[in-house]
Amino acid sequence: MIFGGFDTTRNQLGLAMQTFLSHPDQWRLLAQRPELGAKAVEEVMRVNPTTRWVTREVIEDFEYEGVLLKAGTTVHLYAESAGTDPRVFTPGFDITAERKPHFGFGGGVHYCLGHFVARADMSEALPLLARRMRNPHELPGATWLPDSGNTGPNTLPIGFTPGA
C-alpha cells in the first residue's frame, strides 16, 4: 500500500507546487491557515491531477446521453477536463471553495485504494512547505514526465525565501 501510491503522490506534490506557483495568494493563505491542507489537496487534484485520464473498455452495449457505446469500445475519462468543466465548477483555483468531488482518484470499483494515505501525506506536506517556503518561484531546469495517464515533474527547481 505504501509503495503503491509513492510515485503518484510524489508526482501530485510536484503538480501541486506547479499549481501554487501560478497562485501565490493561495500559497500564502495555506501558510497562514494550515487547516486548509486537505482542501488544498482536493483543489489541486481537481485542476492539475497526476492521473490525467483513465482508460476503460465497454463490456456491454449501452446508450449514454443519446450516444450508443458498443462492447469493446475504448473509453477515456479525462479527469483534468472533468475537474475544470465550467458547467459544473466555478472557474478558478480557490482552496477555500466548496466544490463537488473530483475524479483524481478514479471512481467506482477502480477507486484508488491508497487515496487515504495520499490525502493524508499531501494534507500534511503542503501546509508545511507553504510555511517553510515563502515566495516560491520556478527556476530553470524543470523536466517533466510525458503528459499521459500519470504525469508530474522529474525535476522542479524552486527558489524561495526561507520561512518559519
Side-chain angles (χ1 to χ4, degrees), residues 1-9 113-114 117-118 121:
M1 184 89 131
I2 291 171
F3 295 110
F6 178 78
D7 286 339
T8 50
T9 301
L113 289 174
V117 174
D121 287 351

Side-chain angles (χ1 to χ4, degrees), residues 59-76:
I59 58 172
E60 62 184 48
D61 294 355
F62 74 98
E63 187 174 320
Y64 179 75
E65 294 189 5
V67 176
L68 178 61
L69 297 164
K70 296 240 178 225
T73 301
T74 300
V75 178
H76 300 286

Side-chain angles (χ1 to χ4, degrees), residues 114-137:
H115 74 98
F116 290 119
V117 174
R119 282 182 162 119
D121 287 351
M122 291 186 291
S123 293
E124 289 297 317
L126 287 173
L128 178 66
L129 290 169
R131 285 192 311 271
R132 293 187 178 179
M133 296 173 61
R134 307 290 177 154
N135 306 311
H137 54 279

Side-chain angles (χ1 to χ4, degrees), residues 132-148:
R132 293 187 178 179
M133 296 173 61
R134 307 290 177 154
N135 306 311
H137 54 279
E138 189 172 344
L139 299 172
T143 60
W144 295 87
L145 294 168
D147 192 7
S148 63

Side-chain angles (χ1 to χ4, degrees), residues 48-107:
N48 198 3
T50 187
T51 303
R52 301 292 201 198
W53 69 79
V54 177
T55 302
R56 296 289 180 259
E57 184 176 314
V58 176
I59 58 172
E60 62 184 48
D61 294 355
F62 74 98
E63 187 174 320
Y64 179 75
E65 294 189 5
V67 176
L68 178 61
L69 297 164
K70 296 240 178 225
T73 301
T74 300
V75 178
H76 300 286
L77 168 65
Y78 292 93
E80 183 178 16
S81 296
T84 57
D85 184 342
R87 296 171 297 180
V88 179
F89 296 100
T90 303
F93 180 77
D94 181 356
I95 63 173
T96 66
E98 294 298 323
R99 308 267 193 197
K100 292 183 180 195
H102 58 77
F103 293 101
F105 288 113

